[in-house]
Amino acid sequence: MRASRPVVHPVEAAPPAAAAVAAAAVEAGGAHGGENGAQPRGVRMKDPPGAPGTPGGLGLRLVQAFFAAAALAVMAATDDFPSVSAFCYLVAAAILQCLWSLSLAVVDIYALLVKRSLRNPQAVCIFTIGDGITGTLTLGAACASAGITVLIGNDLNICANNHCASFETATAMAFISWFALAPSCVLNFWSMASR
């Protein structure tokens, strides 16, 4: 039995001048929509709203920092939060979240002022990892604090001796901070995965 073998025919390369003219024609056609609708080379798509370096991204970072700072301030206003490790964890996570969000807000402000895109793969990777870590810590701290708050208020009925309203408010602020962080984390992960 004989197996068929493909036949290879050599193709001559186009001269360099003809290749440059052909590339210019493709770019000109792509700039006006092109036949296939592809983006011309060297042109970037707009950043999605909420991505780093956009006004939406700056807004999300400021909301994250505000609610993390609010959770920190409300929890620090009570004098007995250090007696519960979950509340100490919430304070530590809120500090980290506030610092991370404020530092990225400064980066977003810089990018908006100089009109630079933050679609650099290394920067997007750092943003994604940082958002994932701070988001996980903030969500874990908020859940742990919510559990302790429910234990104190509903199960043990000792709210009269504690600052239950302050604990619940700080926990709610931590959850809101995490909800503001989730879109940033998802957008950064999507940008990193789409490369």
Side-chain angles (χ1 to χ4, degrees):
M1 176 173 183
R2 293 181 61 191
S4 64
R5 296 187 182 150
V7 178
V8 177
H9 298 285
V11 177
E12 292 185 27
V21 170
V26 168
E27 279 189 31
H32 301 294
E35 297 84 26
N36 58 5
Q39 284 283 62
R41 218 161 78 165
V43 175
R44 291 193 148 170
M45 293 177 21
K46 287 185 176 180
D47 290 327
T54 63
L58 175 62
L60 284 173
R61 295 298 176 188
L62 292 177
V63 169
Q64 295 163 19
F66 174 76
F67 282 107
L72 177 63
V74 169
M75 191 62 79
T78 63
D79 56 352
D80 57 348
F81 86 87
S83 62
V84 179
S85 60
F87 296 152
C88 293
Y89 178 40
L90 178 69
V91 167
I95 290 171
L96 181 65
Q97 179 65 51
C98 195
L99 290 174
W100 175 253
S101 296
L102 284 177
S103 63
L104 288 185
V106 169
V107 171
D108 285 343
I109 290 170
Y110 171 76
L112 288 170
L113 288 176
V114 298
K115 298 183 183 346
R116 302 265 328 245
S117 176
L118 294 177
R119 295 181 81 174
N120 182 348
Q122 290 84 13
V124 171
C125 183
I126 290 171
F127 296 159
T128 304
I129 292 170
D131 282 346
I133 291 170
T134 57
T136 302
L137 291 175
T138 302
L139 181 62
C143 290
S145 296
I148 295 298
T149 303
V150 168
L151 175 71
I152 291 171
N154 295 349
D155 298 338
L156 300 178
N157 291 324
I158 54 174
C159 267
N161 303 340
N162 293 302
H163 301 95
C164 283
S166 296
F167 295 153
E168 290 169 355
T169 303
T171 302
M173 296 295 169
F175 274 116
I176 294 171
S177 178
W178 180 79
F179 281 124
L181 176 67
S184 297
C185 188
V186 168
L187 281 170
N188 287 333
F189 184 73
W190 178 60
S191 295
M192 188 176 75
S194 66
R195 295 203 172 272

